[in-house]
């Protein structure tokens, strides 16, 4: 009787201790599995974080869409197609740092909750540097058939984690906005090139300032082929002023 009682007490005590310990919800993974690749492709939106070399500048987090703009190349490498937008902080950070980047994917639709993070170091390729094989990993609507296609990021993943996502909302997807694609289609190749090479905006003069008359030179029209002769290597080795002049949309803002 004594033996039975002691065993019973010990079992109950061990169960109570296990219940008191918090469940381990975060997991570290060795590779990008087919399950993760499918999860990435199904996401309607994901997030990309980068940091500049200068601590006086800010960490940047960008929303991206869709999940099909990310291609899993192997168990430790992904590529991400990039379209022209309001800025290019991600590209600017990568070209001045060691390429640290984090991608976050989170399920906010029906189905099991999950958060997937991919950590690593990325490089940037302009369209002229992207091989046909790499370009074929993305829908043409995000690359060769999109006038706004400006780069592909290749991320060498060195850390893969998942966490619970238990507090994330469940949302219902309606549609993607077409405004960016409509804008790029309207501008065409030459128009999007001019936007990429537009001068960096300057502060608006105060109302009391007397403007100095200047002649406005005719804008130079550059074709996409001419633009793509400049590679990321050119931009990295050029002086900051030259890099800003050649591809000001890749410049960092404070």
């Amino acid at each position: 009787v004594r033996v039975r009682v002691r065993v019973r007490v010990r079992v109950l005590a061990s169960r109570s201790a296990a219940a008191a310990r918090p469940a381990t919800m975060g997991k570290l993974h060795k590779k990008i599995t087919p399950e993760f690749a499918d999860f990435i492709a199904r996401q309607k939106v994901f997030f990309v974080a980068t940091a500049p070399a200068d601590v006086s500048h800010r960490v940047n987090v960008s929303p991206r869409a869709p999940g099909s703009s990310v291609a899993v190349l192997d168990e430790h490498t992904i590529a991400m197609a990039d379209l022209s937008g309001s800025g290019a902080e991600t590209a600017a950070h990568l070209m001045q740092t060691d390429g640290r980047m984090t991608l976050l994917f989170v399920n906010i639709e029906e189905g099991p909750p999950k958060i997937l993070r991919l950590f690593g170091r990325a490089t940037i390729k302009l369209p002229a540097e992207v091989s046909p094989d790499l370009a074929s990993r993305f829908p043409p609507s995000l690359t060769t058939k999109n006038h706004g296609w400006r780069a592909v990021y290749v991320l060498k993943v060195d850390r893969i984690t998942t966490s619970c996502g238990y507090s994330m909302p469940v949302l219902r997807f309606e549609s993607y906005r077409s405004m960016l694609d409509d804008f790029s289609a309207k501008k065409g190749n030459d128009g999007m090139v001019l936007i990429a090479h537009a001068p960096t905006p300057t502060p608006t003069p105060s109302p009391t300032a007397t403007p100095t008359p200047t002649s406005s030179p005719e804008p130079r029209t550059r074709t996409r082929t001419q633009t793509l002769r400049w590679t990321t290597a050119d931009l990295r080795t050029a002086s900051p002023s030259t890099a800003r002049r050649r591809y000001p949309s890749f410049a960092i803002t404070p």
Side-chain angles (χ1 to χ4, degrees):
V1 175
R2 290 181 181 179
V3 173
R4 291 180 181 176
V5 171
R6 288 177 181 175
V7 172
R8 180 65 175 170
V9 169
R10 288 177 182 175
V11 170
L12 291 175
S14 63
R15 288 178 180 175
S16 299
R21 290 195 298 268
T24 303
M25 294 181 287
K27 294 182 179 180
L28 182 65
H29 303 269
K30 294 182 178 180
K31 60 185 180 181
I32 303 173
T33 63
E35 177 190 356
F36 289 159
D38 179 66
F39 178 75
I40 290 170
R42 288 187 284 106
Q43 299 313 301
K44 303 299 190 299
V45 63
F46 61 98
F47 302 88
V48 180
T50 54
D54 190 340
V55 296
S56 66
H57 291 282
R58 303 181 188 278
V59 173
N60 182 67
V61 180
S62 296
R64 303 290 177 126
S68 58
S69 63
V70 175
V72 176
L73 305 184
D74 60 43
E75 294 177 343
H76 295 94
T77 311
I78 64 99
M80 179 179 71
D82 183 47
L83 301 178
S84 294
S86 311
E89 295 291 296
T90 301
H93 289 170
L94 296 185
M95 292 198 304
Q96 72 154 202
T97 67
D98 57 1
R100 287 175 300 158
M101 175 187 281
T102 300
L103 271 63
L104 182 146
F105 305 87
V106 54
N107 183 28
I108 51 176
E109 296 184 276
E110 293 290 342
K114 178 185 290 185
I115 296 174
L116 170 67
R117 292 179 177 88
L118 304 179
F119 304 82
R121 300 182 187 278
T123 55
I124 179 174
K125 296 178 179 291
L126 297 183
E129 302 168 308
V130 177
S131 67
D133 179 62
L134 179 56
S136 69
R137 303 297 296 268
F138 306 99
S141 59
L142 296 174
T143 52
T144 54
K145 292 188 177 180
N146 193 310
H147 298 308
W149 178 40
R150 65 182 174 190
V152 166
Y153 302 106
V154 178
L155 178 67
K156 293 293 184 180
V157 179
D158 54 34
R159 182 179 173 87
I160 304 162
T161 65
T162 55
S163 51
C164 65
Y166 287 174
S167 66
M168 293 296 98
V170 177
L171 307 178
R172 179 173 297 174
F173 177 75
E174 290 189 0
S175 65
Y176 287 111
R177 290 181 173 90
S178 64
M179 298 169 66
L180 182 61
D181 291 339
D182 295 343
F183 178 83
S184 300
K186 182 178 179 180
K187 290 293 183 181
N189 278 340
D190 290 347
M192 293 305 294
V193 166
L194 289 175
I195 289 174
H197 290 267
T200 304
T202 55
T204 304
S206 65
T208 57
T210 303
T212 303
T214 57
S215 58
S216 300
E218 290 296 322
R220 292 183 297 170
T221 301
R222 292 171 174 163
T223 65
R224 192 174 182 84
T225 302
Q226 291 172 320
T227 302
L228 298 182
R229 291 175 183 171
W230 296 330
T231 66
T232 50
D234 298 328
L235 293 172
R236 288 192 187 95
T237 56
S239 66
S241 59
T242 301
R244 179 177 288 273
R245 187 170 61 252
R246 285 186 172 183
Y247 224 113
S249 68
F250 281 5
I252 294 178
T253 55

